Amino acid sequence: MKKISFIFCYFFVFCSLATMYSQTIKSGEKLVFAGSYNMSGLMTQLAQVTMSTENVTTAKNTYLHLSCELSTYSKWDSFFKIRDLYETYVNPATLKPSLYKRNIDEGGWTKKEKYVFKGNTVNSTSKKRNRPETQKTFTIGASTQDVISLLYKVRTMDLNKFKVGQTQALMIVFDEKQIPVTLKYMGKETINAGNLGSKECYKLSIGAKTDALKGKDKNLIWLTADSKKVPALLKFSIPVGTGQLTLTSASGI
């Protein structure tokens, strides 16, 4: 189940870093997804994923706070209770992160992480369960971002510039290391997008140098083919099975 919860949030980790920006992400957006996993041949809804944005002002700066919260439905809590929260504070114009926080509780297994970004350097603190807190400093590439801010980054891109089959290499930072990811554009399809109704969407395939994902073109995401590029559907394949995230409601977009 730990891998399942990781994948639910991992699917918010990709973007193209070399295209023109077409819009900015605004405060007050809320996206809600139903997270399902294939159990005994049936796609069963287990959890809710909620993504939201808000402005946060400090004495020196204004940030856009991006959050992604994953919670199992109460009827599944006795089987395997998940309460995960991913947060990042970014520059509202560039979406470059300044602070990333991860707080997970999965069946009683807990972990807290905090990354402070300073140029190409990340100062991290990490604590697992009752173990002592550890600290680490490591270097990342100039365009490497955390797993949450990257989805919002891709939504500012002009995906009409992509050709079917075109790929783009990118990089995320997760668990105090960089992970190469490949994005492939696969054309357009019409998808049900919750309260937004039926929408034409950009279809994208995700590949990564990790054993968490399995199969060629089996890990997919559909973004509405408009200026908002709202994630409407996400499908994943991992060594222990398959699942999906389905948009149920979008507000403030």
Side-chain angles (χ1 to χ4, degrees):
M1 290 292 291
K2 289 181 183 178
K3 278 193 173 183
I4 296 171
S5 63
F6 166 73
I7 293 297
F8 280 156
C9 288
Y10 183 86
F11 258 87
F12 301 111
V13 303
F14 60 91
C15 74
S16 167
L17 303 177
T19 53
M20 296 296 292
Y21 301 142
S22 60
Q23 70 162 68
T24 57
I25 300 297
K26 65 180 182 178
S27 175
E29 180 182 276
K30 184 178 180 181
L31 307 177
V32 180
F33 301 85
S36 303
Y37 184 69
N38 192 325
M39 301 179 67
S40 301
L42 295 175
M43 197 62 70
T44 305
Q45 289 190 5
L46 302 176
Q48 178 173 289
V49 175
T50 303
M51 300 187 71
S52 59
T53 66
E54 65 174 346
N55 287 327
V56 175
T57 301
T58 68
K60 295 183 179 180
N61 294 295
T62 296
Y63 299 97
L64 186 62
H65 175 217
L66 312 174
S67 69
C68 178
E69 183 176 1
L70 168 64
S71 299
T72 45
Y73 296 126
S74 58
K75 66 179 180 180
W76 294 101
D77 283 348
S78 59
F79 172 64
F80 193 87
K81 183 178 180 179
I82 297 174
R83 297 293 186 272
D84 290 355
L85 177 62
Y86 294 74
E87 302 175 273
T88 183
Y89 295 80
V90 301
N91 181 299
T94 66
L95 300 186
K96 187 173 181 63
S98 293
L99 175 65
Y100 163 81
K101 297 164 67 177
R102 178 187 178 201
N103 189 345
I104 62 175
D105 186 340
E106 301 171 355
W109 189 89
T110 61
K111 183 178 182 179
K112 293 184 178 181
E113 284 184 308
K114 181 174 74 173
Y115 296 173
V116 178
F117 294 80
K118 296 182 178 179
N120 289 1
T121 300
V122 176
N123 297 318
S124 68
T125 58
S126 178
K127 180 175 175 58
K128 297 179 182 178
R129 301 189 70 175
N130 57 354
R131 298 178 187 176
E133 184 178 86
T134 61
Q135 298 183 350
K136 185 178 181 180
T137 298
F138 56 96
T139 301
I140 61 173
S143 57
T144 300
Q145 290 183 257
D146 65 82
V147 297
I148 300 303
S149 63
L150 280 182
L151 174 68
Y152 289 94
K153 190 81 169 181
V154 76
R155 291 176 55 198
T156 68
M157 315 289 180
D158 185 2
L159 292 176
N160 279 320
K161 294 183 179 295
F162 279 68
K163 297 180 180 180
V164 175
Q166 180 178 341
T167 62
Q168 177 70 48
L170 45 116
M171 192 76 68
I172 62 168
V173 58
F174 195 82
D175 280 340
E176 299 177 309
K177 61 179 179 290
Q178 294 190 107
I179 300 176
V181 178
T182 302
L183 172 71
K184 182 167 77 172
Y185 179 62
M186 301 185 70
K188 293 181 179 179
E189 289 184 359
T190 299
I191 296 293
N192 186 300
N195 66 318
L196 301 181
S198 183
K199 289 283 188 178
E200 184 180 46
C201 294
Y202 300 111
K203 182 180 180 180
L204 305 160
S205 172
I206 315 300
K209 291 187 177 180
T210 171
D211 60 1
L213 302 182
K214 181 181 179 182
K216 182 179 179 181
D217 296 336
K218 298 293 185 180
N219 298 284
L220 304 163
I221 184 168
W222 288 259
L223 302 176
T224 58
D226 52 33
S227 63
K228 304 300 182 182
K229 300 181 185 67
V230 177
L233 176 65
L234 309 95
K235 293 186 177 182
F236 60 83
S237 177
I238 57 178
V240 294
T242 59
Q244 64 185 37
L245 295 176
T246 304
L247 181 70
T248 58
S249 69
S251 59
I253 58 174

